[in-house]
Structure formats: C-alpha cells, structure tokens
Amino acid sequence: MPRRSLRNFFLIQALCLLSATAGVNVWNHGNFDDPADSRPPKGWTLWGDPKFKNPANYTIDSKNPHAGTGCFRLDQPASTAGYINTEPSAAIHPKRGMKYEITFWARRSAPGPATLVVEGYASAETLAGWRNVAQQNFQAGQEWSQVKLTLDEGWDFLVGRENILMIALRPASSTSNQDVTLWVDDFQVIESPSDRPGRMIDPATVKAEPMN
C-alpha cells in the first residue's frame, strides 16, 4: 500500500475510533425550541396521579433559556405531586455494553432540591417489568447549572431486563408547601461504550441447585 494511502487509512481509523468513543446523543427532544403552545413539549408526558396532571404546569418558556429560543418550565403548585416523564413511545432503547450520560441545565425559582429519576421497563408497549434504575436529588439555584448522571449497562441496569429507559423530573418533593418552578434546557442522553469491566448477574437467571 502506498505511504499516502496507508497514512489516510490510519487517519480514517483514528477518526472512527474518536467518533465511537465521543458518544452520540440518543435523546432528540431536549432543546425545547418547540412552539409556545406545546404543553408539554414533544417527547414528554404528564405522569403520576391524574388529579395533578395539569398541562398548564409544563410549558415552553422563551424567557432566559440556557440556549436557543426556549426552555422547559415545570411548575409545581404547593402540596401537589405532579411530575413529567419521557413519552413511552420516545423511550431510550439501551444497548449492551454501553454507558448513558444524562446531562442538562437547570435553574429553580428558589434554591432547593429537585429530582431526576430513571425508570427501566421490559417493554414500552405494556410498561411491564418496572424497576427504579436511579434517583438523583440535585440542588438547583436561580442561575443555570449543569446536572449529570451516568449509568452503565451491565451494572446499573441490564438489557434483557430493562429494555427501555424512561426519565422523570420533579421540581420539588410532594410535601413541599410552596409553589416551585424548575426550568430545564439542553437535555441530552449521550450513549458511548462503557469502560467499566465485567457485569452483574441477573438473579432471575440463576438456578438454585437442589439440596440433597
């Protein structure tokens, strides 16, 4: 192979490797530049107790987005427990041996805790096999700050048991006696190869030996 062709070959291989390790965003509904009347924005749905499912509490806000023309505004009136979830039809379908870094920017009407929850299901159609994969309580202030959560397939969840991942956001706890607003923007889920060796064993696949 000519020297120039060989050099180009190795350059292409290096670029492919860099692309594979850099990761790809597998969530396409996180810039919130939706029309103002999107309640809630595309890719998200109201969740929880029906009495708290008020679309007016989940809107696009054009004031002070982190980037672009809008951000996601989540209002939680005092002593209510409504929250938002990603649409089952838009759920993340994880792959074996990959890691998933959830990143977004958040700010709050008053400094305090908000909650990010990741739920796993065996099926998007039936929502069977529910499992709480992760829950992260994060502090949000009145200025934008970044939130990150990384999950490794094989350790935090298992493909074959959790075949889809859905994400929930709660502006405050259900016991909050104050009106709270949480703004979210630039929401991404970055998929890349996991660098954590090994994997846990699914207890459901382990057969106990009969006792003599």
Side-chain angles (χ1 to χ4, degrees):
M1 183 182 291
R3 182 175 297 177
R4 179 175 295 178
S5 297
L6 187 63
R7 183 168 59 246
N8 290 342
F9 171 79
F10 284 117
L11 178 60
I12 292 171
Q13 294 299 310
L15 290 174
C16 290
L17 179 61
L18 180 62
S19 176
T21 55
V24 60
N25 179 24
V26 295
W27 180 249
N28 299 317
H29 306 293
N31 60 15
F32 304 114
D33 295 332
D34 306 61
D37 59 354
S38 301
R39 300 185 177 188
K42 185 178 180 180
W44 301 81
T45 188
L46 309 184
W47 214 252
D49 193 323
K51 68 182 179 182
F52 299 128
K53 290 183 176 182
N54 184 356
N57 291 335
Y58 303 96
T59 59
I60 296 295
D61 193 343
S62 61
K63 297 179 182 177
N64 191 24
H66 179 259
T69 60
C71 56
F72 190 8
R73 175 175 176 150
L74 297 81
D75 292 307
Q76 182 171 323
S79 304
T80 63
Y83 63 101
I84 199 78
N85 220 71
T86 51
E87 277 274 11
S89 60
I92 296 160
H93 293 259
K95 301 173 185 174
R96 184 181 173 96
M98 305 298 279
K99 71 177 177 182
Y100 295 84
E101 184 179 64
I102 300 167
T103 68
F104 59 93
W105 291 79
R107 61 184 176 91
R108 204 169 179 270
S109 51
T115 305
L116 165 68
V117 178
V118 180
E119 301 170 325
Y121 294 88
S123 166
E125 289 73 26
T126 64
L127 297 183
W130 172 88
R131 181 171 171 268
N132 190 347
V133 172
Q135 178 169 317
Q136 177 171 304
N137 298 320
F138 61 92
Q139 292 292 319
Q142 292 176 300
E143 301 296 327
W144 289 110
S145 60
Q146 193 172 34
V147 180
K148 291 185 178 182
L149 173 64
T150 301
L151 302 171
D152 287 276
E153 192 282 326
W155 290 105
D156 298 299
F157 65 94
L158 290 168
V159 168
R161 186 179 67 183
E162 290 86 43
N163 296 317
I164 66 164
L165 299 178
M166 292 167 56
I167 301 168
L169 290 169
R170 301 173 185 265
S173 73
S174 58
T175 59
S176 174
N177 58 5
Q178 296 181 333
D179 295 344
V180 174
T181 299
L182 177 72
W183 289 269
V184 172
D185 205 357
D186 296 333
F187 200 107
Q188 295 185 323
V189 181
I190 305 298
E191 178 187 79
S192 61
S194 174
D195 53 6
R196 185 172 179 180
R199 60 191 295 109
M200 65 178 175
I201 297 173
D202 183 355
T205 65
V206 177
K207 294 183 179 180
E209 292 292 333
M211 297 182 64
N212 295 327

